[in-house]
Amino acid sequence: MIAAALSSLWSYWRRNPLQLATMIGGLALATALWSGVQALNTEARASYDAAAAVVGEGRYDQLVPRAGETLDEATYLALRRAGWQVSPVLVGSLDLGEVALHLTGVDPLTLPAGAGAAGQVAAVPLAQFLAGEVMLAHPADLAQFGTAQSIDLIASPAITQGMALADIGAAQRLLGQAGAISRLVVAPDQPLGRPPLAEVAPELLLQPAQGGSDTAQLTDSFHLNLTAFGILSFAVGIFIVYGAVGLAFEQRRAMIRALRTMGLSMRFVVVLLGAEIAVISLVSGAIGVVLGYLLAASLLPDVAATLRGLYGAQVAGTLQLHPSWWLSSLGIALLGGILAAASAIWRMSRLPLRAGRDPQVWAMQSARGQRLQLVLGLALLVLSGGFVVAGGSLLAGFARVAALLLGAALLLPPLLEVALHVAQRRARSVTAEWFWADTRQQLPRLGLALMALLLAITANIGVSTMVSSFRLTFIGFLDQRLIAEVYVSAETDAQSAAIEALADDGITVLPLLSVETRIGPQKVDLYGARVAPVYEQYWQFLAQDGDVWSRVAAGEAAIINEQFARRAGLWPGDSIPISPTVTLPIAGVVGDYGNPLGQVIIGEELFITLFPETRARQFGLIGGGADALMARLEAEAGFDPAQMIDQTALKAASLEVFERTFTVTSALNVLTLAVAGAAILMSLLTLASMRVPQLASVWALGVTRHRLGQLELARAVALAVLTLLFALPLGLALAYLLLAVINVEAFGWKLPMYLFPADYARLAVASIGAAALAALVPALRLARTPPARFLQVFANET
Amino acid sequence: MLLKIENLTKSYSGPDGRVPVLQGISLSLDAGETLALTGESGSGKSTLLHLIGGLDHADGGRILVGGQEVTALDDAGRAALRRGMVGLIFQQFNLIPSLTVRDNIRFQARLAGREDPAWAAALTDALGLTEQLTKYPEDLSGGQQQRVAIARTIAARPALILADEPTGNLDEDTADRVMDQLTRLVDEAGATLVLVTHSSALASRMARQCHLSHGRLS
């Protein structure tokens, strides 16, 4: 019985391979986009965790310097003598020419056994490791390393690509940081009665263990962005499947009724239909996993570049096939298939045995259903506004975006219905009147595909507006920040002195003094600025109090960047503790779009007083022209050209990082639009067979097949144009949310919003083109429909 | 002479090769004449109607409607013929579900460029559809839908009306009433009617009757 029933159900798909392809294609695309994004996230997180696990970051408490990037060995020894069970770690970038390795130096004798490095070191002879004779690196990195370094390399697949592990002594030697320690890992078991930290090493700060690594937390917002795109793409794909399943079930009503009249219970039929969906979903999911892997593999280099450029996070350049990833992808495909089919199965289960109304009529949404959709859509829009009140977090921001997009998508069909109704009323010719009326009738069936198109266009407008606004702001920011003609790195005190001496010749010398420190719970970069007229000329403040630069130069006030201001809720008039003894009022808040970290700027003299051990190694120079300055430094002070960079090159490099940052977003945008185009194509193709009876009537009344084909094409274009008109304000609303809410929560900065009509015009052409392209095949098929096909409609007349 | 058919042949391909449906049909009708076409299922009645209406191609022979040779027309020419001279009434009504009753009735007349609101109103009234004008076809009974189909056809004032089992889907009483209205209105419009039917009672209402058997007229 099961075999007979299954065979009859399967016979439908055999006779309608296009619908089957639609279902599998839609679900596979949805799964691919979702799983591709998940693969990228999983890979990046695995890299952070692997990197963090080397020294147990996040798992153990750590001691870090309150100011500066390193602590000295004397402090470490003092703590050990006082009974503190701590282990030194040094991290740094080992320059290998074109590439760099993230080198971690550890002391395996004192490192807690649970730290990842302890296990990795155990695999090599300890004596060799301690003697600094060997270093562990990923096998793929061995070739990069070459033979120039005075250390043997051992391949270890357990090490993340792009990273290396050595004894701390060897790391200090390789990194040129003799005696330096980045931080101390605190063992979980400490002796009782040891003296408090403030007594032994007041310059250190205890950083408690956290759930994840710093990097993982820092990049959370980026991954949340990717996940949001993944969900959006998945939703677009599910729209396709929903439409295909609904149609397939509707067209099988007669078959289901026949099966029931022949003695199969409804429960049994529902189980069979569920099993059928499960099998199709799993097959689609498997295809989606493969596509998702290919997608992720092609996008990973750009994601890695983004994470490195924005956050300094190292991500392996190759993709691993984690079982959890492909299993979850299959799971999401199954869930998507069941979700898409649930309402169709439910409706089918309530189908009476007697014959129902005309399928086309049954397919049309009831007025009640449309009213419900309208109310739900409006409620979601109100909810989207309501989150402003609930406010406050990145998740709330994304909830606003989700409510806005979903609410607008639900409102689309009722609004289109109104627009089409108006068009029908205003139509002058009879063909036009029929065209609009017929389009209205197709709306319920095309609604889902149009919602998908709406979401795709909206996402494109929103994200492109955000990116372009960001780009304009970022370029302005670079012009403001990169005010020197040449930036020079000094390697020795003598070189620093040579640069300072240039001031005697009227050249403005701007030393870049900085330390990493903490203000309250926040990690910030503290800068000492030598106040020069160019700062007053170029820097613009988002908020200021009085003569900012004079107050900073006098050591009486500080400048902070926007992300720090927003996170800490500090604005001009408030004060911040710069050190245990110095607290300064905030004189200005400046926009900063280069990194998500907080920054504080104080006057140079005050900085030197507070951090006398910090020397400026980087300088900005103004006066005389970049080429002349660089030639002079090379000739008179022996600077290597690699130590100098002119502003133009630096700006170009910064812009390149910026552009790559958004490559992934742009790629996902294009894919989402392509999926929406596919949704329209599939909807039109599946609708084509249902519409033959109506078109046959019109054809019989004297409208040619050619004209019907033209109208079919015009219908897709008209609907795309109407959807576009709706998507434009919606996209701008989305852009506002991204710029003013999501960016603030994710990165800490609020960006001004600019409009880009030329971009929107290009997008309009692309969207309408996608819709027209999708309608081209159905239109051509209609224009070439053999009259015999139409005549079949009238074949039961006698 | 409004309709002239000469030696018309038509066959379809079947599993065992070509199957002849019409074998040398010849027929002529004057303007205002009515003709009943009867015959068994599969005898070719609908095929003949479709060929006259330009819905299908003949294999051989000629059809002239109002002096226009239908068999020589291309796709667009046949469409123009249907718009201008021919009205088709089907058993399944074939109304346009997206248009209201009023718009369905106006549809063909507007396509033909012969919209006459007074004539349409008179038809609507005569067929008892005045109360139904703002409804959609799905809201009507079968008899009401067929009356809309009749009104749609006659409102366009076609010279030739081809009705294919117009009451096949209706009960006997309703069928009688619909046929009364159809014949009366056709008469008022001065149109020529070719009616395909299984019913000898309906056939007897037409001025002429032809029986189609094995592709030949008798």
Side-chain angles (χ1 to χ4, degrees), chain A residues 319-350:
Chain A
L319 200 61
Q320 312 289 318
L321 261 179
H322 300 282
S324 61
W325 167 70
W326 59 260
L327 276 175
S328 68
S329 298
L330 284 180
I332 200 83
L334 190 61
L335 183 69
I338 290 169
L339 269 178
S343 84
I345 291 180
W346 184 78
R347 277 191 297 175
M348 184 67 75
S349 69
R350 295 168 60 87

PDB file of all heavy atoms in Angstrom, chain A residues 319-350:
ATOM      1  N   LEU A 319      39.476  26.538   4.137  1.00  0.00           N
ATOM      2  CA  LEU A 319      38.219  26.172   4.792  1.00  0.00           C
ATOM      3  C   LEU A 319      38.263  24.716   5.240  1.00  0.00           C
ATOM      4  O   LEU A 319      38.676  23.839   4.483  1.00  0.00           O
ATOM      5  CB  LEU A 319      37.091  26.381   3.774  1.00  0.00           C
ATOM      6  CG  LEU A 319      35.677  26.524   4.290  1.00  0.00           C
ATOM      7  CD1 LEU A 319      35.566  27.738   5.186  1.00  0.00           C
ATOM      8  CD2 LEU A 319      34.729  26.685   3.112  1.00  0.00           C
ATOM      9  N   GLN A 320      37.871  24.483   6.475  1.00  0.00           N
ATOM     10  CA  GLN A 320      37.799  23.104   6.985  1.00  0.00           C
ATOM     11  C   GLN A 320      36.341  22.647   6.881  1.00  0.00           C
ATOM     12  O   GLN A 320      35.436  23.447   6.961  1.00  0.00           O
ATOM     13  CB  GLN A 320      38.223  23.041   8.454  1.00  0.00           C
ATOM     14  CG  GLN A 320      39.512  23.770   8.770  1.00  0.00           C
ATOM     15  CD  GLN A 320      40.720  23.068   8.210  1.00  0.00           C
ATOM     16  OE1 GLN A 320      40.812  21.847   8.282  1.00  0.00           O
ATOM     17  NE2 GLN A 320      41.628  23.813   7.613  1.00  0.00           N
ATOM     18  N   LEU A 321      36.161  21.337   6.725  1.00  0.00           N
ATOM     19  CA  LEU A 321      34.798  20.796   6.683  1.00  0.00           C
ATOM     20  C   LEU A 321      34.425  20.269   8.060  1.00  0.00           C
ATOM     21  O   LEU A 321      34.616  19.104   8.360  1.00  0.00           O
ATOM     22  CB  LEU A 321      34.715  19.659   5.659  1.00  0.00           C
ATOM     23  CG  LEU A 321      34.142  20.011   4.291  1.00  0.00           C
ATOM     24  CD1 LEU A 321      34.144  18.820   3.387  1.00  0.00           C
ATOM     25  CD2 LEU A 321      32.732  20.567   4.408  1.00  0.00           C
ATOM     26  N   HIS A 322      33.950  21.153   8.917  1.00  0.00           N
ATOM     27  CA  HIS A 322      33.566  20.722  10.259  1.00  0.00           C
ATOM     28  C   HIS A 322      32.260  19.934  10.166  1.00  0.00           C
ATOM     29  O   HIS A 322      31.296  20.417   9.580  1.00  0.00           O
ATOM     30  CB  HIS A 322      33.368  21.923  11.169  1.00  0.00           C
ATOM     31  CG  HIS A 322      34.590  22.765  11.308  1.00  0.00           C
ATOM     32  ND1 HIS A 322      35.644  22.416  12.110  1.00  0.00           N
ATOM     33  CD2 HIS A 322      34.945  23.931  10.715  1.00  0.00           C
ATOM     34  CE1 HIS A 322      36.588  23.342  12.018  1.00  0.00           C
ATOM     35  NE2 HIS A 322      36.191  24.263  11.171  1.00  0.00           N
ATOM     36  N   PRO A 323      32.215  18.726  10.784  1.00  0.00           N
ATOM     37  CA  PRO A 323      30.977  17.929  10.724  1.00  0.00           C
ATOM     38  C   PRO A 323      29.779  18.698  11.268  1.00  0.00           C
ATOM     39  O   PRO A 323      28.681  18.601  10.737  1.00  0.00           O
ATOM     40  CB  PRO A 323      31.291  16.720  11.605  1.00  0.00           C
ATOM     41  CG  PRO A 323      32.779  16.655  11.658  1.00  0.00           C
ATOM     42  CD  PRO A 323      33.286  18.048  11.505  1.00  0.00           C
ATOM     43  N   SER A 324      30.020  19.516  12.318  1.00  0.00           N
ATOM     44  CA  SER A 324      28.890  20.252  12.904  1.00  0.00           C
ATOM     45  C   SER A 324      28.287  21.200  11.871  1.00  0.00           C
ATOM     46  O   SER A 324      27.085  21.455  11.863  1.00  0.00           O
ATOM     47  CB  SER A 324      29.367  21.055  14.112  1.00  0.00           C
ATOM     48  OG  SER A 324      30.352  21.977  13.695  1.00  0.00           O
ATOM     49  N   TRP A 325      29.140  21.718  10.992  1.00  0.00           N
ATOM     50  CA  TRP A 325      28.662  22.671   9.996  1.00  0.00           C
ATOM     51  C   TRP A 325      27.755  21.997   8.979  1.00  0.00           C
ATOM     52  O   TRP A 325      26.627  22.450   8.741  1.00  0.00           O
ATOM     53  CB  TRP A 325      29.862  23.334   9.300  1.00  0.00           C
ATOM     54  CG  TRP A 325      29.461  24.087   8.079  1.00  0.00           C
ATOM     55  CD1 TRP A 325      28.744  25.242   8.033  1.00  0.00           C
ATOM     56  CD2 TRP A 325      29.706  23.703   6.732  1.00  0.00           C
ATOM     57  NE1 TRP A 325      28.541  25.611   6.725  1.00  0.00           N
ATOM     58  CE2 TRP A 325      29.121  24.696   5.904  1.00  0.00           C
ATOM     59  CE3 TRP A 325      30.364  22.646   6.117  1.00  0.00           C
ATOM     60  CZ2 TRP A 325      29.182  24.644   4.534  1.00  0.00           C
ATOM     61  CZ3 TRP A 325      30.430  22.605   4.748  1.00  0.00           C
ATOM     62  CH2 TRP A 325      29.845  23.592   3.962  1.00  0.00           C
ATOM     63  N   TRP A 326      28.232  20.876   8.380  1.00  0.00           N
ATOM     64  CA  TRP A 326      27.364  20.304   7.339  1.00  0.00           C
ATOM     65  C   TRP A 326      26.158  19.597   7.912  1.00  0.00           C
ATOM     66  O   TRP A 326      25.107  19.540   7.290  1.00  0.00           O
ATOM     67  CB  TRP A 326      28.145  19.467   6.314  1.00  0.00           C
ATOM     68  CG  TRP A 326      28.946  18.289   6.798  1.00  0.00           C
ATOM     69  CD1 TRP A 326      30.291  18.247   7.019  1.00  0.00           C
ATOM     70  CD2 TRP A 326      28.463  16.964   7.078  1.00  0.00           C
ATOM     71  NE1 TRP A 326      30.677  17.008   7.443  1.00  0.00           N
ATOM     72  CE2 TRP A 326      29.573  16.185   7.476  1.00  0.00           C
ATOM     73  CE3 TRP A 326      27.206  16.369   7.046  1.00  0.00           C
ATOM     74  CZ2 TRP A 326      29.464  14.851   7.845  1.00  0.00           C
ATOM     75  CZ3 TRP A 326      27.102  15.027   7.405  1.00  0.00           C
ATOM     76  CH2 TRP A 326      28.218  14.293   7.787  1.00  0.00           C
ATOM     77  N   LEU A 327      26.294  19.108   9.141  1.00  0.00           N
ATOM     78  CA  LEU A 327      25.103  18.503   9.775  1.00  0.00           C
ATOM     79  C   LEU A 327      24.056  19.576  10.055  1.00  0.00           C
ATOM     80  O   LEU A 327      22.860  19.388   9.819  1.00  0.00           O
ATOM     81  CB  LEU A 327      25.501  17.804  11.075  1.00  0.00           C
ATOM     82  CG  LEU A 327      26.041  16.378  10.922  1.00  0.00           C
ATOM     83  CD1 LEU A 327      26.512  15.836  12.263  1.00  0.00           C
ATOM     84  CD2 LEU A 327      24.985  15.458  10.324  1.00  0.00           C
ATOM     85  N   SER A 328      24.519  20.732  10.551  1.00  0.00           N
ATOM     86  CA  SER A 328      23.552  21.801  10.840  1.00  0.00           C
ATOM     87  C   SER A 328      22.943  22.341   9.539  1.00  0.00           C
ATOM     88  O   SER A 328      21.792  22.766   9.512  1.00  0.00           O
ATOM     89  CB  SER A 328      24.199  22.932  11.635  1.00  0.00           C
ATOM     90  OG  SER A 328      25.137  23.599  10.828  1.00  0.00           O
ATOM     91  N   SER A 329      23.723  22.316   8.456  1.00  0.00           N
ATOM     92  CA  SER A 329      23.187  22.774   7.169  1.00  0.00           C
ATOM     93  C   SER A 329      22.079  21.846   6.675  1.00  0.00           C
ATOM     94  O   SER A 329      21.047  22.294   6.177  1.00  0.00           O
ATOM     95  CB  SER A 329      24.298  22.838   6.119  1.00  0.00           C
ATOM     96  OG  SER A 329      25.267  23.758   6.522  1.00  0.00           O
ATOM     97  N   LEU A 330      22.316  20.541   6.827  1.00  0.00           N
ATOM     98  CA  LEU A 330      21.261  19.591   6.451  1.00  0.00           C
ATOM     99  C   LEU A 330      20.030  19.803   7.322  1.00  0.00           C
ATOM    100  O   LEU A 330      18.888  19.730   6.866  1.00  0.00           O
ATOM    101  CB  LEU A 330      21.763  18.154   6.596  1.00  0.00           C
ATOM    102  CG  LEU A 330      22.710  17.637   5.503  1.00  0.00           C
ATOM    103  CD1 LEU A 330      23.126  16.204   5.791  1.00  0.00           C
ATOM    104  CD2 LEU A 330      22.058  17.712   4.134  1.00  0.00           C
ATOM    105  N   GLY A 331      20.295  20.076   8.604  1.00  0.00           N
ATOM    106  CA  GLY A 331      19.197  20.319   9.552  1.00  0.00           C
ATOM    107  C   GLY A 331      18.389  21.537   9.148  1.00  0.00           C
ATOM    108  O   GLY A 331      17.156  21.513   9.165  1.00  0.00           O
ATOM    109  N   ILE A 332      19.076  22.594   8.748  1.00  0.00           N
ATOM    110  CA  ILE A 332      18.364  23.826   8.399  1.00  0.00           C
ATOM    111  C   ILE A 332      17.580  23.624   7.097  1.00  0.00           C
ATOM    112  O   ILE A 332      16.495  24.175   6.930  1.00  0.00           O
ATOM    113  CB  ILE A 332      19.338  25.030   8.303  1.00  0.00           C
ATOM    114  CG1 ILE A 332      18.582  26.358   8.430  1.00  0.00           C
ATOM    115  CG2 ILE A 332      20.127  25.041   7.026  1.00  0.00           C
ATOM    116  CD1 ILE A 332      18.313  26.757   9.825  1.00  0.00           C
ATOM    117  N   ALA A 333      18.125  22.801   6.192  1.00  0.00           N
ATOM    118  CA  ALA A 333      17.405  22.506   4.943  1.00  0.00           C
ATOM    119  C   ALA A 333      16.116  21.746   5.273  1.00  0.00           C
ATOM    120  O   ALA A 333      15.046  22.038   4.728  1.00  0.00           O
ATOM    121  CB  ALA A 333      18.280  21.684   4.010  1.00  0.00           C
ATOM    122  N   LEU A 334      16.241  20.785   6.180  1.00  0.00           N
ATOM    123  CA  LEU A 334      15.071  19.995   6.588  1.00  0.00           C
ATOM    124  C   LEU A 334      14.035  20.898   7.250  1.00  0.00           C
ATOM    125  O   LEU A 334      12.836  20.851   6.932  1.00  0.00           O
ATOM    126  CB  LEU A 334      15.531  18.886   7.543  1.00  0.00           C
ATOM    127  CG  LEU A 334      14.521  17.810   7.892  1.00  0.00           C
ATOM    128  CD1 LEU A 334      14.065  17.062   6.651  1.00  0.00           C
ATOM    129  CD2 LEU A 334      15.113  16.819   8.892  1.00  0.00           C
ATOM    130  N   LEU A 335      14.522  21.745   8.142  1.00  0.00           N
ATOM    131  CA  LEU A 335      13.626  22.669   8.848  1.00  0.00           C
ATOM    132  C   LEU A 335      12.954  23.618   7.846  1.00  0.00           C
ATOM    133  O   LEU A 335      11.741  23.867   7.924  1.00  0.00           O
ATOM    134  CB  LEU A 335      14.431  23.470   9.873  1.00  0.00           C
ATOM    135  CG  LEU A 335      13.635  24.422  10.747  1.00  0.00           C
ATOM    136  CD1 LEU A 335      12.753  23.656  11.715  1.00  0.00           C
ATOM    137  CD2 LEU A 335      14.564  25.347  11.531  1.00  0.00           C
ATOM    138  N   GLY A 336      13.748  24.126   6.907  1.00  0.00           N
ATOM    139  CA  GLY A 336      13.209  25.039   5.891  1.00  0.00           C
ATOM    140  C   GLY A 336      12.129  24.364   5.055  1.00  0.00           C
ATOM    141  O   GLY A 336      11.075  24.940   4.801  1.00  0.00           O
ATOM    142  N   GLY A 337      12.400  23.114   4.629  1.00  0.00           N
ATOM    143  CA  GLY A 337      11.436  22.370   3.831  1.00  0.00           C
ATOM    144  C   GLY A 337      10.136  22.153   4.596  1.00  0.00           C
ATOM    145  O   GLY A 337       9.038  22.357   4.061  1.00  0.00           O
ATOM    146  N   ILE A 338      10.282  21.777   5.865  1.00  0.00           N
ATOM    147  CA  ILE A 338       9.086  21.512   6.681  1.00  0.00           C
ATOM    148  C   ILE A 338       8.307  22.807   6.906  1.00  0.00           C
ATOM    149  O   ILE A 338       7.078  22.845   6.800  1.00  0.00           O
ATOM    150  CB  ILE A 338       9.484  20.861   8.022  1.00  0.00           C
ATOM    151  CG1 ILE A 338       9.971  19.434   7.752  1.00  0.00           C
ATOM    152  CG2 ILE A 338       8.326  20.851   9.005  1.00  0.00           C
ATOM    153  CD1 ILE A 338      10.639  18.770   8.920  1.00  0.00           C
ATOM    154  N   LEU A 339       9.050  23.902   7.185  1.00  0.00           N
ATOM    155  CA  LEU A 339       8.398  25.202   7.389  1.00  0.00           C
ATOM    156  C   LEU A 339       7.617  25.616   6.142  1.00  0.00           C
ATOM    157  O   LEU A 339       6.480  26.070   6.223  1.00  0.00           O
ATOM    158  CB  LEU A 339       9.459  26.274   7.667  1.00  0.00           C
ATOM    159  CG  LEU A 339       9.826  26.532   9.116  1.00  0.00           C
ATOM    160  CD1 LEU A 339      10.924  27.588   9.183  1.00  0.00           C
ATOM    161  CD2 LEU A 339       8.613  27.002   9.886  1.00  0.00           C
ATOM    162  N   ALA A 340       8.277  25.444   4.991  1.00  0.00           N
ATOM    163  CA  ALA A 340       7.654  25.870   3.731  1.00  0.00           C
ATOM    164  C   ALA A 340       6.424  25.030   3.405  1.00  0.00           C
ATOM    165  O   ALA A 340       5.473  25.510   2.796  1.00  0.00           O
ATOM    166  CB  ALA A 340       8.672  25.799   2.596  1.00  0.00           C
ATOM    167  N   ALA A 341       6.456  23.739   3.828  1.00  0.00           N
ATOM    168  CA  ALA A 341       5.366  22.839   3.462  1.00  0.00           C
ATOM    169  C   ALA A 341       4.272  22.777   4.521  1.00  0.00           C
ATOM    170  O   ALA A 341       3.185  22.250   4.259  1.00  0.00           O
ATOM    171  CB  ALA A 341       5.916  21.432   3.214  1.00  0.00           C
ATOM    172  N   ALA A 342       4.568  23.305   5.709  1.00  0.00           N
ATOM    173  CA  ALA A 342       3.650  23.105   6.832  1.00  0.00           C
ATOM    174  C   ALA A 342       2.230  23.583   6.522  1.00  0.00           C
ATOM    175  O   ALA A 342       1.254  22.852   6.732  1.00  0.00           O
ATOM    176  CB  ALA A 342       4.188  23.808   8.071  1.00  0.00           C
ATOM    177  N   SER A 343       2.135  24.817   6.004  1.00  0.00           N
ATOM    178  CA  SER A 343       0.787  25.349   5.796  1.00  0.00           C
ATOM    179  C   SER A 343       0.069  24.589   4.675  1.00  0.00           C
ATOM    180  O   SER A 343      -1.147  24.366   4.738  1.00  0.00           O
ATOM    181  CB  SER A 343       0.826  26.848   5.514  1.00  0.00           C
ATOM    182  OG  SER A 343       1.086  27.089   4.168  1.00  0.00           O
ATOM    183  N   ALA A 344       0.841  24.177   3.640  1.00  0.00           N
ATOM    184  CA  ALA A 344       0.217  23.430   2.532  1.00  0.00           C
ATOM    185  C   ALA A 344      -0.296  22.077   3.035  1.00  0.00           C
ATOM    186  O   ALA A 344      -1.402  21.653   2.681  1.00  0.00           O
ATOM    187  CB  ALA A 344       1.226  23.239   1.406  1.00  0.00           C
ATOM    188  N   ILE A 345       0.492  21.416   3.885  1.00  0.00           N
ATOM    189  CA  ILE A 345       0.066  20.121   4.413  1.00  0.00           C
ATOM    190  C   ILE A 345      -1.156  20.310   5.325  1.00  0.00           C
ATOM    191  O   ILE A 345      -2.103  19.529   5.304  1.00  0.00           O
ATOM    192  CB  ILE A 345       1.227  19.434   5.181  1.00  0.00           C
ATOM    193  CG1 ILE A 345       2.314  19.008   4.186  1.00  0.00           C
ATOM    194  CG2 ILE A 345       0.735  18.236   5.980  1.00  0.00           C
ATOM    195  CD1 ILE A 345       3.504  18.315   4.797  1.00  0.00           C
ATOM    196  N   TRP A 346      -1.112  21.377   6.102  1.00  0.00           N
ATOM    197  CA  TRP A 346      -2.233  21.628   7.006  1.00  0.00           C
ATOM    198  C   TRP A 346      -3.520  21.858   6.221  1.00  0.00           C
ATOM    199  O   TRP A 346      -4.568  21.310   6.534  1.00  0.00           O
ATOM    200  CB  TRP A 346      -1.919  22.847   7.880  1.00  0.00           C
ATOM    201  CG  TRP A 346      -2.973  23.138   8.903  1.00  0.00           C
ATOM    202  CD1 TRP A 346      -3.172  22.505  10.090  1.00  0.00           C
ATOM    203  CD2 TRP A 346      -3.999  24.129   8.817  1.00  0.00           C
ATOM    204  NE1 TRP A 346      -4.244  23.030  10.750  1.00  0.00           N
ATOM    205  CE2 TRP A 346      -4.780  24.034   9.993  1.00  0.00           C
ATOM    206  CE3 TRP A 346      -4.336  25.085   7.859  1.00  0.00           C
ATOM    207  CZ2 TRP A 346      -5.864  24.869  10.233  1.00  0.00           C
ATOM    208  CZ3 TRP A 346      -5.435  25.908   8.108  1.00  0.00           C
ATOM    209  CH2 TRP A 346      -6.171  25.795   9.283  1.00  0.00           C
ATOM    210  N   ARG A 347      -3.411  22.659   5.163  1.00  0.00           N
ATOM    211  CA  ARG A 347      -4.598  22.923   4.334  1.00  0.00           C
ATOM    212  C   ARG A 347      -5.088  21.630   3.677  1.00  0.00           C
ATOM    213  O   ARG A 347      -6.271  21.378   3.565  1.00  0.00           O
ATOM    214  CB  ARG A 347      -4.277  23.969   3.262  1.00  0.00           C
ATOM    215  CG  ARG A 347      -4.375  25.380   3.792  1.00  0.00           C
ATOM    216  CD  ARG A 347      -4.310  26.385   2.684  1.00  0.00           C
ATOM    217  NE  ARG A 347      -3.025  26.326   1.981  1.00  0.00           N
ATOM    218  CZ  ARG A 347      -2.744  27.034   0.907  1.00  0.00           C
ATOM    219  NH1 ARG A 347      -3.654  27.821   0.393  1.00  0.00           N
ATOM    220  NH2 ARG A 347      -1.567  26.957   0.329  1.00  0.00           N
ATOM    221  N   MET A 348      -4.093  20.833   3.228  1.00  0.00           N
ATOM    222  CA  MET A 348      -4.442  19.572   2.585  1.00  0.00           C
ATOM    223  C   MET A 348      -5.180  18.651   3.565  1.00  0.00           C
ATOM    224  O   MET A 348      -6.144  17.975   3.202  1.00  0.00           O
ATOM    225  CB  MET A 348      -3.146  18.899   2.108  1.00  0.00           C
ATOM    226  CG  MET A 348      -3.346  17.632   1.345  1.00  0.00           C
ATOM    227  SD  MET A 348      -4.136  17.919  -0.233  1.00  0.00           S
ATOM    228  CE  MET A 348      -2.789  18.619  -1.151  1.00  0.00           C
ATOM    229  N   SER A 349      -4.734  18.668   4.822  1.00  0.00           N
ATOM    230  CA  SER A 349      -5.343  17.764   5.806  1.00  0.00           C
ATOM    231  C   SER A 349      -6.791  18.152   6.104  1.00  0.00           C
ATOM    232  O   SER A 349      -7.556  17.353   6.625  1.00  0.00           O
ATOM    233  CB  SER A 349      -4.520  17.767   7.097  1.00  0.00           C
ATOM    234  OG  SER A 349      -4.660  19.012   7.733  1.00  0.00           O
ATOM    235  N   ARG A 350      -7.154  19.373   5.786  1.00  0.00           N
ATOM    236  CA  ARG A 350      -8.529  19.824   6.045  1.00  0.00           C
ATOM    237  C   ARG A 350      -9.395  19.786   4.788  1.00  0.00           C
ATOM    238  O   ARG A 350     -10.529  20.255   4.798  1.00  0.00           O
ATOM    239  CB  ARG A 350      -8.495  21.261   6.589  1.00  0.00           C
ATOM    240  CG  ARG A 350      -7.811  21.348   7.937  1.00  0.00           C
ATOM    241  CD  ARG A 350      -7.543  22.784   8.305  1.00  0.00           C
ATOM    242  NE  ARG A 350      -8.753  23.576   8.384  1.00  0.00           N
ATOM    243  CZ  ARG A 350      -9.503  23.682   9.473  1.00  0.00           C
ATOM    244  NH1 ARG A 350      -9.162  23.031  10.567  1.00  0.00           N
ATOM    245  NH2 ARG A 350     -10.583  24.427   9.467  1.00  0.00           N
TER     246      ARG A 350
END
